[in-house]
Amino acid sequence: MRCADFVVKEPMVIGHECAGFVEEVGSEVKHLVPGDRVALEPGINCKRCELCKQGRYNLCTEMKFFGSPPTHGCLTNQVVHPGDLCFKVPNNVSLEEGAMCEPLSVGVHACRRANVGPETNVLVMGAGPIGLVTLLAARAFEAPRIVVADVNDHRLSVAKALGAHEIVKVSTNIEEVAEEVVKIKEAMGTRVDVSFDCAGFNKNMAAALSATGSGGKVCLVGMGQRELTLPLTLAAAREDDMIGIFRYKNTWPLCLELLRSSKIDEKPLITHRFGFSQKEVEKAFETSAGGGNAIKVMFNL
């Protein structure tokens, strides 16, 4: 019941990925009218602290973020939200895709932080939803070669279908890191410039640090464990940069443009759809918790 320092202490509404129709606007909102379809960026920053003024508003300590304790989330029929955090969805983009701008933003922000580009070979550790959107973002940023590693055959097959050049099956046994790093390097066929750990576990991060070439970057995207024990001396000797990723900033316009232009197709990630009745909501959570082939489970009100 926690993610990093965010701890659930009492019942709350969850949810931070959403899109919908504008029902009413405030008197100072000029760019939206009732009936507009919008995707919502879920974090409301203070706009006054030094981090906000520097443009790094995702790190604002006063952030009110949907579904992050103690702020209630968007899994409801209506929300009130600042107009500048509501972005018009292009005509050829569905509301489902608009809601998926939130996870996609994590991948886009990670690729920006790591300076992924046409000369950057990318390793993605973890093929869950965040690993898969990081793969999609890296492709959109024109990474020439992308390898994805995971423990799950189905998710690896999805990664391959989404454009991973190679996939590598790994285990949960940390004793097998060295052997699996050899497989990852063989699959890459050239040096690994940037690695993304999209799970946040000791083994994943150790493999990412070991696989990344000298002078490369290792990005911690996932937050699976609160504390990690890592081979940092090795990374220091190679002058690898370790980069933290926390949410995102200024990503919605780019995400919507990538969807509008079909440079990214998120639709294959939406594996299940449910209505918003009590019965269907419970079934949706059971489906998500059950694993299997579930990736993104969508509610349609």
Side-chain angles (χ1 to χ4, degrees):
M1 299 297 288
R2 72 181 301 153
C3 181
D5 290 330
F6 301 98
V7 183
V8 178
K9 297 179 179 179
E10 59 187 26
M12 63 177 294
V13 178
I14 64 172
H16 58 266
E17 304 173 11
C18 65
F21 293 95
V22 174
E23 184 169 291
E24 187 177 350
V25 298
S27 61
E28 297 302 312
V29 176
K30 309 300 182 185
H31 68 294
L32 298 171
V33 297
D36 281 345
R37 301 183 314 137
V38 291
L40 275 59
E41 182 173 350
I44 306 172
N45 59 302
C46 77
K47 298 181 171 62
R48 297 183 301 274
C49 69
E50 286 302 312
L51 287 166
C52 285
K53 291 177 180 178
Q54 292 169 11
R56 305 189 72 179
Y57 67 84
N58 56 309
L59 303 178
C60 174
T61 58
E62 300 300 318
M63 177 76 77
K64 294 180 174 62
F65 192 92
F66 280 163
S68 184
T71 305
H72 287 299
C74 59
L75 196 58
T76 181
N77 289 290
Q78 292 178 315
V79 295
V80 178
H81 207 52
D84 65 331
L85 297 175
C86 300
F87 299 86
K88 282 188 180 181
V89 176
N91 292 334
N92 65 332
V93 175
S94 70
L95 285 177
E96 289 187 337
E97 293 170 280
M100 288 283 287
C101 281
E102 197 283 333
L104 179 59
S105 286
V106 177
V108 166
H109 182 59
C111 286
R112 281 177 170 173
R113 289 269 289 152
N115 295 319
V116 172
E119 297 181 349
T120 312
N121 298 306
V122 170
L123 167 65
V124 178
M125 298 296 299
I130 294 301
L132 294 175
V133 293
T134 302
L135 159 65
L136 291 174
R139 288 194 66 213
F141 279 58
E142 301 182 350
R145 192 155 181 82
I146 306 170
V147 172
V148 178
D150 197 90
V151 300
N152 184 286
D153 286 317
H154 173 70
R155 293 199 170 184
L156 284 172
S157 69
V158 173
K160 187 68 173 177
L162 291 175
H165 296 91
E166 295 291 342
I167 53 176
V168 178
K169 176 75 175 291
V170 294
S171 74
T172 58
N173 184 359
I174 199 165
E175 300 297 326
E176 298 179 7
V177 167
E179 176 184 340
E180 291 170 357
V181 167
V182 172
K183 293 180 181 178
I184 289 168
K185 289 182 175 180
E186 289 176 350
M188 183 65 74
T190 184
R191 95 181 225 115
V192 176
D193 299 301
V194 172
S195 294
F196 295 103
D197 176 5
C198 295
F201 292 101
N202 274 328
K203 183 174 183 291
N204 273 34
M205 197 62 177
L209 284 165
S210 299
T212 304
S214 296
K217 296 181 176 68
V218 181
C219 303
L220 179 57
V221 184
M223 294 184 178
Q225 288 180 255
R226 182 175 170 81
E227 295 183 0
L228 301 175
T229 303
L230 304 171
L232 291 180
T233 303
L234 174 65
R238 295 200 310 246
E239 290 197 357
D240 287 336
D241 295 336
M242 286 192 61
I243 300 173
I245 307 297
F246 187 64
R247 295 174 180 159
Y248 31 68
K249 58 173 184 167
N250 301 317
T251 52
W252 258 252
L254 176 57
C255 289
L256 289 168
E257 174 56 25
L258 291 172
L259 295 171
R260 185 203 64 78
S261 62
S262 299
K263 289 184 178 179
I264 284 181
D265 182 9
E266 297 178 305
K267 293 188 290 293
L269 299 183
I270 304 171
T271 55
H272 297 76
R273 294 171 173 85
F274 293 90
F276 204 53
S277 67
Q278 182 69 27
K279 182 178 180 180
E280 289 203 70
V281 167
E282 290 177 7
K283 186 176 180 181
F285 278 101
E286 290 168 359
T287 299
S288 183
N293 68 342
I295 299 176
K296 277 297 180 182
V297 178
M298 188 71 64
F299 290 109
N300 291 297
L301 276 64

